[in-house]
Amino acid sequence: MAELQKLHDAIMSGDTKTAVAVTREALAENVDPMELIRQYMIPAMDEVGRLFQCEEYFVPELLLAARAMKGSLELIRPLLAASGRQPTGRVVIGTVKGDLHDIGKNIVASMLEGGGFDVIDLGADVAPERFVEAIQRSNANLVCLSALLTVTMPSMRTTIEALKQAGVRERVKVLVGGAPVTRQFAQQIGADGYSESAPGAVTLARQIIAAL
Amino acid sequence: MAELQKLHDAIMSGDTKTAVAVTREALAENVDPMELIRQYMIPAMDEVGRLFQCEEYFVPELLLAARAMKGSLELIRPLLAASGRQPTGRVVIGTVKGDLHDIGKNIVASMLEGGGFDVIDLGADVAPERFVEAIQRSNANLVCLSALLTVTMPSMRTTIEALKQAGVRERVKVLVGGAPVTRQFAQQIGADGYSESAPGAVTLARQIIAAL
Amino acid sequence: MEQRMRSYGALAISNPSDLVFGRAPSPVSCGFDLTIGAGQVYPEVNFTLPAITVSAENWSEIVTQYTEMVTGIIRRAVALRAPGIVLEFELLPAMTECPEWGAEVTALLHRALREAHEKHGLRCALRVTPTDIREHGKPPLLRYGQGCEQLLRSFDLCAQAGADILSIESIGGKEVHDQALLYGDVPGIVFALGILAPRDMAWLWDQITGICARHPGVVPGGDTACAFANTAMQLAHQRMLPEVLAAVVRAMCAVRSLVAFEHGAMGPSKDCAYEGPILKAITGCPISMEGRSATCAHFSPMGNVASAMCDLWSNESVQNIRLLSGSAPEAYTESLIYDCRLMNVAAQQGGALMLRDWLTASDQWLSPQAALLSPEATLEIAAVIVERKSHYERTLGAAQAALSILRGGLSGGAMLIPAKERQWMDRIEQELSGLPGDEKTLRRQVQERYAGIFDPASYGLCESA
Amino acid sequence: MEQRMRSYGALAISNPSDLVFGRAPSPVSCGFDLTIGAGQVYPEVNFTLPAITVSAENWSEIVTQYTEMVTGIIRRAVALRAPGIVLEFELLPAMTECPEWGAEVTALLHRALREAHEKHGLRCALRVTPTDIREHGKPPLLRYGQGCEQLLRSFDLCAQAGADILSIESIGGKEVHDQALLYGDVPGIVFALGILAPRDMAWLWDQITGICARHPGVVPGGDTACAFANTAMQLAHQRMLPEVLAAVVRAMCAVRSLVAFEHGAMGPSKDCAYEGPILKAITGCPISMEGRSATCAHFSPMGNVASAMCDLWSNESVQNIRLLSGSAPEAYTESLIYDCRLMNVAAQQGGALMLRDWLTASDQWLSPQAALLSPEATLEIAAVIVERKSHYERTLGAAQAALSILRGGLSGGAMLIPAKERQWMDRIEQELSGLPGDEKTLRRQVQERYAGIFDPASYGLCESA
Ligand code: B12
Ligand code: B12
Ligand code: SF4
Ligand code: SF4
Ligand SMILES: [Zn+2]
Ligand SMILES: [Zn+2]
Ligand SMILES: [Zn+2]
C-alpha cells in the first residue's frame, strides 16, 4: 500500500520525484483524490507556508515544495475534473502593462499554486485586453495584478476598467500588489483586496474564495 | 503742491505717516485718486515686491510698506467707491477649519493688500460657512484658503463644496496654498489656482482678476 | 508645587569636552528599560497622518494608520538591531480637543512598544506631546477656559494610557511674538520672550509636573520654542526674515525653554528645541535634537551640527505616505538608526569628541543659526544666562552673547554673510542696547502697541501692571 | 573598438589606506567643471515620477514634474552651498522605447544645470541611464531586435541632448539568474553571472563606448549588477532568500560589472552597484554608492559602510511626492549634502581613514552583506579576481573569497547569524566546490535546465556550443 505520509514529507522537502511516485501509487490503489489533497497535500503546503512565515524556510524551499505539489496535482486534476469537483479557485495573474518586474508576481503565483489554486500566469507587461481574454477563456474567479513601477500603477486602474467594459468585472475578484501599491491605492481603484506579501496574498485569496 | 514722488518713497521705506500726509495733501489739491494709485502707489509696491523677490527686502520691510500703502488707500477708497470705480479685486482670506497656523496666511494677506487688493481677513480656524457668509456680504471675487496641517487639507475641499452648495462658487475664484498643499492637490479639489509663495499669490491673483 | 522650583545659578557642564552627544550628567530612565543620556544616542521617531480629517467617521482608518506606522517603525528597529528607540506621538489638535482620542492612540502605541520589548528585547519609550490648543481665542486664554481644560485633561489621560514622557510645544507669548517678529520689532520680541513666555511656562509646567507626580514613572520631558524660534527659522529659510534675527531669537528662547526645567522638567527636551544644547549645559539633562534626518519635516542650515550634543536624535515628523522603499516613517527610522550607529561606534572607540567636532565644523560657519550651535557658542550663551537673575535680564544677555559670537565669526573671516544681513545685525544690536534695564519699563513702553493682542490675566500681569 | 579592451591583472589600489571615500587614482572630469574622485565626495541625486502614466497625453505634465524636481534639487544645493552635484536621470521604460522623450528630458535637465552653473557657480554633471529594454522578449534578444535598436538610439540621442555620463543597468544573463536564484540553484547562478552576463556586457559596452567616442566629452560611466545582486538583496531583505546567498551573489557580480571597465567605462560606476568598491580597487576609477540616505528607494543592512569608499553618494531614486518640508527629491538632496559635508570635513582635517573605519565598524558584522563591504574584504575579493584569468574562474574565486570572509567573521565571533543561514553557507560552499574547473563543462551541465529561457545567439554562444 502507498505510504501516504511520504507524500506529505516529499512535498515539504521539495522532492517532486517521490511526491509524484507516491501519488501515482495511491491513485492506482483508488485512494480518494480529494482525501490526498485534503489530508496530505494541503497540510504539507500549509506547514511550508508556516515555516516560511516563521522564517524557517526561504523561497527556494518554498518553490521546490510548490513544484512537488504541482507535480502531484497534475496527476489528480483530470480525475477531479472528471468527477465534477472544482479546485479551490482559478486565478489569472500578471504584471501590468509597461512593467517587466516579475519576481514578486512569480512568487505570488507559485505560492497560490502551492496553496491549491489553479493558476494561469500571463507573465509580465500584460495589456488589459489580455487579462479580459484570459478570464473569458478560463472562467477564473480571481485576478491578481502586480506592478513595481509608479508609472505603471495607473495601468491597474485601466485594467480594472477594461474588465468592467468587457462585462467580466462581476465574475472575478481583483487583488493587487507590488512594492509601490498601497491599501489606499487599492481602495481608490476599486480593487477587492491588497496584500504586501505573497503569503498574505494566499490568505486573502482563500478568504475571498471561501466567501464566494 | 504735494510732492508725489515722496508718496512713492514713503511707501517704499514703510513710512506710514509721510505716506498718509502726502496723500491727504494731494487729495486736497484734487489730484485724481486713480493717478495716485497707478503712478505712485502701485509702482512703489511693485518695486517693494521686486526687492523682496531679489532678497533685498525681508518681510518686515514688506509689511511696513504694505501698512503705509494701506494707510493711503484708506483715504482714497471712499472716493473711488463714490465714483463707482472698483479696486483691483476683493479678496476673502482665511486659514481653514481646524488649523491655527496663520503666519503664512497673514503674509499673503498683507502682500495682497500691498498689491492694491481689498482684503477681508477672516483669521484662522475658519469654518466653511464663514467663508460663504463673507463672500455673500462682501461681493468678493477671490477667495484664498490656507492650510498647514495635512489633516486640515481636506477642509479645503469641504470649503469649496460649501461654496458650491451655497451657490457662490461661480462668483469667485479660489486660490489655495500653505506648506503641505501641492499643485496636484489644488487641481484635484477643483481650486482655480495654487502658489507656493506670497509673491506668487499676488501675481496669480492679478492674472485671475485681469482675466475676469 | 512650589517645592519643585529649581534655579540654575551655575552650569552643569562647563568643560566643552564634557558637552557631547550621548552623555548627560543626569540621565533619564523611562519606558521599557531605556536610559537616555548614559552613553548611547537613540533614535526618536515622530510620525503623523497624511491628508485625512480627524473625525469620528474616520476614526477606524486613523487607528489603522497609526497601527501601520508603529508596526513599520518597530520592524525597522528590530531588523537593524537598534539598541533602543523612542517614539514620539504628537497629538493633532482634534486629538487634544477630544482627549479620549489622544489617549486611545497613546494606548495603542504603548501596547506595540510593550510587545516589541517582550518579543525582541527592544528597549524603548513613548513620548506624548499634546497640542497646545490654548491659542484658540483672540486673545488666547492660557490659564482658564475650555482649551486650557482640555489640554490638562489630555496630559492626564495620556499619562494614564501609557505615555512615558510628557512634553509640549507651548505657545505663551506667541500672540505678541508673531507680530513683533514679522515687523522686526525687537522690543516686542524681547517682551514676548523675556517677559510673557516665561510667565506662562512657569504656570504650565507646574501643572505638567503635577500631573506626572500623580502618575509614577511618567517623566516630565521638556518644552520647545517652536512657536517662536522655529517660526523664525522657517521664515529665515524662506528668506522672509534675516538669518541673524532667527539666530538671535533662538538664543533668547533658551531662557524661556529653561523655565520648564526650573519647574520640574527632567528631559529629554523636545527634538525641535534647537536651544537644547544650552539647556543641556545648564541643567545636565539629556536632550533630543533633529537635523539632517528630519528632511521629511523641514529643511535646515544646521543638519549636522544639530547632532553634536544630542542624546536622542529625531526626524521631527513624517507623514504616513509610501516611498519606493516602503512607508516614509519606516524610511526615516532607518536613517536615524544609521546616524546613531555612527555616533555610538565613534563614542565606543573613543572618538566622540572628534566626531562631534567634525559635525560642528561641517556646518558651523555656513549659517548664523549653525554658528550658535557649536559647543563653544553653547557654553558662552549658557554662561551668560546662569550669571543673570531675571528672565528678562537673561533674555537680553543671551541675545547679546549671540551677537558677539556672530561678530566673532565675521571678524575672523570664518563666516560670510550678505550685506543685508549685516545691516540687520547692526540694527538688532542698536535696538537691544536701547532697551531699558528693568522689565517694568519695557512693559510700559510696548504694552500699548500690543494691547488687545494678549490677555494680561493669562500671564498673571493684571494686578501688577 | 577592440583597441579599447583593457585587462586588469593587478590592483590599482592595493593598500587599504588608499581605499577611501573621495579619492580615486583615476578621477573623472565632466559636465560643468566637476572632477569626481579628486578629493571630495559629491551627492548624486536620482529622482523619478510619482504614479502617472508616461504617455503622449501626459507629456506636458511629465515635463512639468521634471522641471519641478530639478528646480527643487538645485535650489537645495545652492542654499546649502554644495561644492558640486551630480544628477542622475534614469529613463523610464517608455522613455527609452521612444528615445525622443528621454532626450527631451535630458535636454531639460542639462539646461537647468547649465543655468545653475552660470548663475551660482555650481559645479555639476548629468548622468543619464536608459532602461535596458532588451528584456522584453521571451527569451530576450540582446544583440538585435527592436528593443536593442531603441536602446542604442536612446544612448545616442541622450548623449547628443546633453548627458555628461552614460550608464546602464544591463540585464544580460538575468533571465537565467532570476530562476536560478529563486530555486537556490548555485550552478545556474554561476552560469548566469560567470558566463552569460560577461558576454553580454562585453558586447554592450563596446556599443556604449563607441557612442561616447562619437560625442566628445561624454563619459562612459559604468554598469551595475542591479538585476542580479540587488534582486537578491531585496529578496534577502524580505527574508525570501538567505542573506549569505545575497552576499555571495554580490561578490560574484563584481566580475561582470568589471567587464564594463574592460570595455572602456571610466566611472563613476552606478550608485546601486554595491560591488563598486571592488571595481574601484581594481580599476582605480571613481564610484558612486548609496546607503543610509537612499531610504527613499530601499532599505539596507549596509547604510553606513556603503559610503566608506564612495566618490559620489546617492539616494538611488525618489519619487516626486510632497513631504511636510517640501518635495521628496529636495529633501533627499539635503540629506546627501549633509552626509558629504561630514565626509569632506573629516578628509580635510586628516580624518578620512578614521571616519571610514567608523562607518565600516558601525555596520560590518551586523549582516553578511555588510561584512563584504569593508575595505579589507573589498581588497581580498578584488585580489582574487585580478589573479585569475577567465570570467568564469574569477566568478568562482570571488564567491570563495566571499565565503571565507564570512567564515572569518563567524569563527572570530564578530558576526552572529542564525542557524538557517549557516546551513545555507555550507550548502553554497559544497555546491561551489562541486563545480567543474572549466566553463564548457558547466555550460553542458546546466544548458538543458535553462534551454528556451535564454537565446544562445545573444551571447555569441551558437557556433561554439
Ligand atoms: C529587481 C529589480 C529590477 C530588475 C527586475 C527583475 C525582474 N525580473 O523582476 C531589473 C534590473 C530588470 C529592473 C529594471 C528596472 N527597474 Co527595477 N527594481 C528591482 C528591485 C531592486 C527589486 C524588485 C523585486 O523583485 N523585489 C522582490 C519581490 C519579491 O518583491 P515585490 O515585487 O515587491 O513582490 C512582493 C510583494 O510586493 C507582493 N506582491 C507582488 N505582486 C503582487 C501581486 C498581488 C496581487 C499581491 C496580492 C501581492 C503582490 O508579494 C511579493 C512577495 O512578497 C526594485 C526595488 C524595490 N524597492 O522593490 C526596483 C524598482 C522597482 N525598479 C525601479 C526602476 C526605476 C527600474 C527601471 C526603470 C530601471 C532603469 N532605468 O532601467 C527598470 C524598468 C524595467 C521595466 N520595464 O519594468 C524602481 C522603480 C521606480 C519607479 N519609478 O517606480 C525601483 C523601485 C528601484 C528604485 N528604488 O529605484 N528592476
Ligand atoms: C510655526 C509653526 C507652528 C506655530 C504656528 C504659529 C502660527 N501662528 O502660525 C505653532 C507652534 C503654534 C504650531 C503649532 C502646531 N503645529 Co506647526 N508648524 C510651524 C512651522 C514650524 C512653520 C509654519 C510657518 O509659519 N511657516 C512660515 C510661513 C511663512 O510659511 P507658510 O505657512 O508655508 O506660507 C507660505 C506659503 O505656503 C504660501 N501660502 C500660505 N498660505 C497660502 C494661501 C494661498 C491662497 C496661497 C496662494 C499661498 C499661501 O505663502 C506663504 C508665504 O510664502 C511648520 C513647519 C513647516 N514645515 O511649515 C510647522 C507644522 C506645520 N506644524 C505642525 C504641527 C504638527 C503642529 C501642531 C499640531 C504641533 C503640536 N502637536 O502641538 C500644532 C497645531 C496647531 C494648530 N491647531 O493648527 C506640523 C504639521 C504636521 C501635519 N500633520 O500636518 C508642521 C509641518 C511641522 C512638522 N514638520 O512637523 N506650529
Ligand atoms: S518645531 Fe516642529 S514639532 Fe515643534 S511645534 Fe513646531 S512644528 Fe511642531
Ligand atoms: S538597483 Fe536600483 S537603480 Fe539599480 S536597476 Fe535596480 S532598481 Fe534600478
Ligand atoms: Zn518638532
Ligand atoms: Zn517633534
Ligand atoms: Zn540606481
Side-chain angles (χ1 to χ4, degrees):
Chain A
M1 225 190 83
E3 288 181 70
L4 296 181
Q5 186 55 34
K6 261 198 184 165
L7 174 56
H8 177 276
D9 299 350
I11 289 180
M12 277 205 57
S13 62
D15 178 352
T16 306
K17 240 201 208 140
T18 309
V20 169
V22 179
T23 308
R24 182 165 294 135
E25 208 182 326
L27 293 180
E29 293 168 9
N30 282 323
V31 179
D32 175 6
M34 248 358 234
E35 194 197 319
L36 277 185
I37 296 184
R38 287 223 189 98
Q39 289 197 18
Y40 301 94
M41 296 168 68
I42 298 267
M45 278 310 293
D46 282 351
E47 178 66 5
V48 167
R50 200 189 60 72
L51 287 170
F52 183 69
Q53 294 214 274
C54 303
E55 296 169 12
E56 278 295 303
Y57 267 22
F58 290 113
V59 159
E61 287 96 339
L62 188 83
L63 290 186
L64 290 170
R67 188 190 268 177
M69 169 91 172
K70 197 177 166 189
S72 302
L73 270 181
E74 264 158 25
L75 298 177
I76 295 177
R77 255 208 201 100
L79 302 179
L80 291 184
S83 73
R85 284 186 284 187
Q86 288 282 327
T88 325
R90 181 164 288 172
V91 187
V92 166
I93 190 169
T95 303
V96 296
K97 192 166 167 206
D99 202 325
L100 291 173
H101 293 85
D102 63 359
I103 297 177
K105 184 267 298 165
N106 291 348
I107 295 176
V108 172
S110 301
M111 286 203 65
L112 284 171
E113 247 170 9
F117 287 83
D118 191 5
V119 176
I120 300 157
D121 186 346
L122 303 179
D125 193 14
V126 181
E129 312 82 71
R130 292 190 45 218
F131 280 105
V132 170
E133 260 172 52
I135 295 167
Q136 286 169 334
R137 251 210 316 262
S138 68
N139 250 322
N141 42 20
L142 209 58
V143 174
C144 289
L145 307 178
S146 183
L148 265 282
L149 293 172
T150 49
V151 295
T152 56
M153 285 166 68
S155 293
M156 291 184 149
R157 191 195 292 269
T158 324
T159 304
I160 292 181
E161 267 154 26
L163 300 189
K164 281 190 197 148
Q165 293 230 320
V168 298
R169 179 67 184 87
E170 302 303 310
R171 280 164 40 189
V172 293
K173 296 288 175 183
V174 180
L175 302 189
V176 296
V181 180
T182 61
R183 193 169 50 76
Q184 288 87 346
F185 179 78
Q187 264 169 25
Q188 273 168 33
I189 63 169
D192 301 303
Y194 158 79
S195 163
E196 60 171 21
S197 75
V202 176
T203 311
L204 200 63
R206 287 217 178 122
Q207 284 167 359
I208 285 179
I209 295 297
L212 280 183
Chain B
M1 228 191 81
E3 288 179 71
L4 297 181
Q5 187 56 34
K6 260 197 183 165
L7 173 56
H8 177 275
D9 299 350
I11 290 180
M12 278 203 56
S13 61
D15 178 353
T16 306
K17 238 198 205 141
T18 310
V20 169
V22 179
T23 308
R24 183 164 292 134
E25 206 181 329
L27 293 179
E29 292 168 10
N30 282 323
V31 178
D32 176 7
M34 245 4 231
E35 194 196 317
L36 277 185
I37 296 184
R38 288 221 189 99
Q39 289 197 20
Y40 300 94
M41 297 168 69
I42 298 266
M45 278 311 291
D46 282 350
E47 178 66 6
V48 166
R50 202 190 58 74
L51 288 171
F52 183 68
Q53 294 214 275
C54 302
E55 296 169 10
E56 279 294 303
Y57 267 23
F58 290 112
V59 159
E61 287 96 341
L62 189 82
L63 290 187
L64 290 170
R67 189 189 269 175
M69 169 92 173
K70 197 177 164 188
S72 302
L73 270 180
E74 265 158 23
L75 298 179
I76 294 178
R77 255 206 202 101
L79 301 179
L80 291 183
S83 72
R85 283 186 286 187
Q86 286 283 327
T88 322
R90 180 166 289 173
V91 188
V92 165
I93 189 169
T95 302
V96 296
K97 191 166 168 205
D99 203 325
L100 290 174
H101 292 85
D102 63 359
I103 296 177
K105 185 266 300 166
N106 291 346
I107 294 175
V108 172
S110 300
M111 285 203 65
L112 284 171
E113 246 171 11
F117 287 82
D118 190 4
V119 177
I120 299 156
D121 185 347
L122 303 179
D125 193 16
V126 180
E129 311 82 72
R130 290 190 45 216
F131 281 104
V132 170
E133 259 173 52
I135 295 166
Q136 287 170 335
R137 250 208 317 257
S138 69
N139 249 322
N141 42 19
L142 209 58
V143 174
C144 288
L145 308 178
S146 183
L148 266 281
L149 294 171
T150 50
V151 294
T152 56
M153 284 166 67
S155 294
M156 291 183 149
R157 191 194 292 270
T158 325
T159 304
I160 291 180
E161 269 154 26
L163 300 189
K164 281 189 197 148
Q165 293 231 321
V168 298
R169 178 67 185 88
E170 302 304 309
R171 279 162 41 187
V172 294
K173 296 288 175 184
V174 180
L175 302 190
V176 296
V181 180
T182 62
R183 194 169 50 76
Q184 288 86 345
F185 179 78
Q187 264 167 25
Q188 274 169 34
I189 63 169
D192 300 302
Y194 157 78
S195 164
E196 60 172 22
S197 73
V202 176
T203 311
L204 201 63
R206 287 216 178 123
Q207 284 167 0
I208 285 180
I209 295 295
L212 279 183
Chain C
M1 237 155 269
E2 276 310 292
Q3 75 279 14
R4 289 179 155 273
M5 171 80 193
R6 270 174 288 187
S7 77
Y8 294 98
L11 297 180
I13 305 175
S14 51
N15 184 343
S17 59
D18 294 331
L19 190 58
V20 65
F21 57 77
R23 290 214 165 274
S26 311
V28 168
S29 293
C30 59
F32 298 100
D33 212 14
L34 191 73
T35 303
I36 301 162
Q40 296 239 27
V41 179
Y42 298 106
E44 174 166 16
V45 185
N46 179 323
F47 42 95
T48 193
L49 296 173
I52 174 176
T53 307
V54 180
S55 65
E57 302 95 76
N58 284 342
W59 192 248
S60 77
E61 170 65 17
I62 286 169
V63 167
T64 309
Q65 294 260 359
Y66 277 100
T67 307
E68 272 176 13
M69 289 192 272
V70 71
T71 307
I73 292 164
I74 289 174
R75 175 171 52 215
R76 202 92 310 266
V78 169
L80 291 177
R81 308 200 204 167
I85 195 168
V86 172
L87 262 51
E88 180 183 14
F89 168 42
E90 248 187 42
L91 276 65
L92 286 156
M95 298 171 178
T96 312
E97 284 155 21
C98 173
E100 284 72 16
W101 282 351
E104 187 179 336
V105 176
T106 300
L108 175 169
L109 299 172
H110 174 75
R111 276 194 308 275
L113 288 181
R114 190 177 51 212
E115 208 185 294
H117 183 250
E118 280 166 6
K119 209 165 139 193
H120 304 285
L122 182 66
R123 295 168 196 265
C124 51
L126 176 63
R127 183 204 291 271
V128 177
T129 306
T131 322
D132 193 345
I133 51 173
R134 299 173 302 159
E135 60 170 324
H136 263 271
K138 286 225 161 206
L141 306 181
L142 304 177
R143 301 190 179 179
Y144 44 89
Q146 198 190 16
C148 180
E149 280 159 29
Q150 287 166 337
L151 175 63
L152 296 180
R153 195 149 163 268
S154 177
F155 274 115
D156 202 46
L157 292 192
C158 290
Q160 198 177 311
D164 300 309
I165 305 165
L166 291 184
S167 290
I168 186 164
E169 320 205 310
S170 74
I171 49 89
K174 171 183 154 316
E175 64 285 41
V176 167
H177 188 261
D178 274 357
Q179 182 167 330
L181 192 65
L182 289 183
Y183 282 90
D185 171 19
V186 175
I189 292 174
V190 173
F191 173 57
L193 294 179
I195 301 176
L196 295 182
R199 288 175 166 261
D200 178 51
M201 290 280 292
W203 181 85
L204 179 63
W205 276 90
D206 278 343
Q207 312 303 311
I208 297 172
T209 49
I211 291 169
C212 288
R214 288 204 304 280
H215 297 278
V218 181
V219 177
D223 206 311
T224 157
C226 180
F228 311 91
N230 293 7
T231 301
M233 174 175 85
Q234 277 293 324
L235 289 165
H237 170 71
Q238 295 186 24
R239 305 230 173 258
M240 299 202 158
L241 282 183
E243 279 227 46
V244 290
L245 179 57
V248 173
V249 164
R250 174 72 61 194
M252 289 195 270
C253 279
V255 177
R256 84 34 106 195
S257 294
L258 180 64
V259 178
F261 292 87
E262 291 168 353
H263 289 260
M266 297 167 59
S269 64
K270 267 285 290 174
D271 52 357
C272 61
Y274 283 83
E275 63 274 19
I278 301 174
L279 304 178
K280 180 168 171 173
I282 296 176
T283 67
C285 296
I287 61 172
S288 184
M289 294 288 287
E290 58 187 44
R292 70 174 170 286
S293 293
T295 53
C296 42
H298 66 265
F299 299 132
S300 170
M302 43 209 176
N304 280 339
V305 64
S307 64
M309 295 160 271
C310 73
D311 301 290
L312 295 177
W313 182 235
S314 153
N315 68 318
E316 152 132 64
S317 187
V318 63
Q319 289 169 266
N320 190 30
I321 53 176
R322 181 68 71 106
L323 299 174
L324 296 168
S325 51
S327 80
E330 199 171 344
Y332 275 87
T333 302
E334 175 159 318
S335 297
L336 294 173
I337 291 175
Y338 278 110
D339 289 338
C340 294
R341 273 194 188 178
L342 178 63
M343 291 190 268
N344 292 334
V345 150
Q348 199 184 301
Q349 305 201 353
L353 289 182
M354 180 157 285
L355 180 56
R356 179 198 71 176
D357 291 341
W358 290 339
L359 289 166
T360 303
S362 73
D363 293 347
Q364 187 174 10
W365 297 117
L366 290 173
S367 111
Q369 295 189 74
L372 298 190
L373 270 173
S374 71
E376 298 70 33
T378 299
L379 286 175
E380 233 173 288
I381 300 169
V384 170
I385 291 177
V386 294
E387 266 164 27
R388 309 209 175 179
K389 288 271 165 305
S390 77
H391 295 129
Y392 175 67
E393 288 162 340
R394 287 176 162 191
T395 305
L396 282 181
Q400 276 145 359
L403 281 167
S404 107
I405 294 161
L406 297 180
R407 287 269 174 237
L410 270 179
S411 65
M415 189 166 68
L416 293 172
I417 60 173
K420 264 252 69 176
E421 294 261 350
R422 287 202 305 276
Q423 283 166 24
W424 268 90
M425 272 178 73
D426 297 341
R427 185 179 144 187
I428 298 168
E429 214 151 31
Q430 258 171 29
E431 298 214 29
L432 280 174
S433 62
L435 291 183
D438 72 307
E439 127 175 28
K440 285 228 166 125
T441 314
L442 178 68
R443 264 163 58 194
R444 223 169 317 126
Q445 286 173 6
V446 301
Q447 214 140 351
E448 199 198 340
R449 193 142 83 238
Y450 295 97
I453 288 185
F454 71 99
D455 167 43
S458 286
Y459 297 95
L461 280 174
C462 293
E463 341 48 25
S464 58
Chain D
M1 239 155 266
E2 275 312 292
Q3 74 279 13
R4 290 180 158 272
M5 172 79 193
R6 271 173 287 186
S7 77
Y8 294 98
L11 298 181
I13 305 175
S14 52
N15 183 342
S17 57
D18 294 332
L19 190 57
V20 65
F21 57 77
R23 290 214 165 273
S26 309
V28 169
S29 292
C30 60
F32 297 101
D33 210 14
L34 192 73
T35 303
I36 302 163
Q40 296 240 26
V41 178
Y42 299 107
E44 175 167 14
V45 185
N46 180 324
F47 41 94
T48 193
L49 294 173
I52 173 176
T53 307
V54 179
S55 65
E57 302 94 77
N58 283 341
W59 190 248
S60 77
E61 169 66 16
I62 286 169
V63 168
T64 309
Q65 293 259 359
Y66 277 100
T67 307
E68 273 176 12
M69 288 192 273
V70 70
T71 306
I73 293 164
I74 289 175
R75 175 172 51 216
R76 202 92 310 269
V78 169
L80 291 177
R81 309 202 203 164
I85 194 166
V86 172
L87 261 53
E88 180 184 13
F89 167 42
E90 249 185 42
L91 276 65
L92 288 155
M95 298 172 179
T96 312
E97 284 155 21
C98 174
E100 285 72 15
W101 283 349
E104 186 178 336
V105 176
T106 301
L108 176 170
L109 299 172
H110 174 76
R111 275 195 307 276
L113 288 181
R114 191 178 50 214
E115 206 185 295
H117 183 251
E118 281 166 5
K119 208 164 138 192
H120 305 285
L122 183 66
R123 296 168 196 265
C124 51
L126 177 62
R127 183 203 293 270
V128 178
T129 306
T131 322
D132 193 346
I133 51 174
R134 299 173 302 161
E135 60 170 324
H136 264 272
K138 286 224 160 205
L141 307 181
L142 303 178
R143 301 190 180 178
Y144 43 90
Q146 198 191 16
C148 181
E149 281 159 28
Q150 287 167 338
L151 176 62
L152 297 181
R153 190 141 171 276
S154 177
F155 274 115
D156 203 45
L157 292 192
C158 291
Q160 199 177 311
D164 301 308
I165 306 165
L166 291 183
S167 290
I168 186 163
E169 322 206 310
S170 76
I171 50 87
K174 170 183 152 319
E175 64 286 41
V176 167
H177 189 262
D178 274 358
Q179 183 167 329
L181 192 65
L182 289 183
Y183 283 90
D185 172 18
V186 176
I189 291 173
V190 173
F191 173 57
L193 294 179
I195 300 176
L196 296 182
R199 288 174 165 263
D200 178 50
M201 290 280 293
W203 181 86
L204 179 63
W205 276 90
D206 278 345
Q207 312 304 311
I208 297 173
T209 49
I211 291 169
C212 288
R214 288 203 304 279
H215 297 278
V218 181
V219 178
D223 207 309
T224 157
C226 179
F228 311 91
N230 293 8
T231 301
M233 173 175 85
Q234 276 294 323
L235 289 165
H237 170 72
Q238 294 186 25
R239 305 231 174 257
M240 298 203 158
L241 282 183
E243 278 228 47
V244 291
L245 179 57
V248 173
V249 165
R250 173 72 61 195
M252 291 195 268
C253 279
V255 177
R256 79 43 99 195
S257 295
L258 180 63
V259 178
F261 292 86
E262 292 168 354
H263 289 261
M266 298 166 60
S269 65
K270 266 284 291 175
D271 51 357
C272 61
Y274 284 82
E275 63 275 20
I278 302 175
L279 305 177
K280 179 167 173 173
I282 296 177
T283 66
C285 296
I287 61 171
S288 184
M289 295 287 288
E290 58 187 45
R292 69 175 171 284
S293 292
T295 53
C296 41
H298 66 266
F299 299 131
S300 169
M302 43 211 177
N304 280 340
V305 64
S307 64
M309 295 159 274
C310 72
D311 302 291
L312 294 178
W313 182 236
S314 153
N315 67 317
E316 152 133 65
S317 188
V318 62
Q319 290 169 264
N320 190 29
I321 53 176
R322 181 70 68 107
L323 300 173
L324 296 169
S325 52
S327 80
E330 197 172 345
Y332 275 87
T333 303
E334 175 158 317
S335 297
L336 294 173
I337 291 174
Y338 278 110
D339 289 340
C340 294
R341 272 193 189 180
L342 178 62
M343 291 190 268
N344 292 335
V345 149
Q348 197 185 303
Q349 305 201 351
L353 289 181
M354 179 157 285
L355 179 57
R356 180 198 72 178
D357 291 342
W358 290 339
L359 288 165
T360 304
S362 73
D363 293 346
Q364 185 174 12
W365 298 117
L366 290 173
S367 113
Q369 296 189 73
L372 298 190
L373 270 174
S374 71
E376 298 71 33
T378 298
L379 287 175
E380 234 173 288
I381 301 169
V384 170
I385 291 176
V386 294
E387 267 164 25
R388 310 209 175 177
K389 287 270 163 307
S390 77
H391 294 129
Y392 175 65
E393 289 163 339
R394 286 177 162 190
T395 304
L396 283 181
Q400 276 145 358
L403 281 166
S404 107
I405 292 161
L406 297 181
R407 287 270 175 236
L410 270 178
S411 66
M415 189 166 67
L416 293 172
I417 61 173
K420 265 255 67 178
E421 294 261 349
R422 288 202 306 275
Q423 284 167 24
W424 269 89
M425 272 179 75
D426 297 342
R427 186 180 145 188
I428 299 168
E429 214 150 30
Q430 260 171 27
E431 299 214 29
L432 280 175
S433 62
L435 292 182
D438 73 306
E439 121 175 34
K440 285 230 164 123
T441 314
L442 179 67
R443 265 163 58 194
R444 224 167 317 124
Q445 289 174 4
V446 302
Q447 215 141 350
E448 200 200 337
R449 191 144 84 240
Y450 295 97
I453 288 184
F454 71 100
D455 167 43
S458 285
Y459 298 95
L461 281 173
C462 294
E463 341 50 23
S464 58

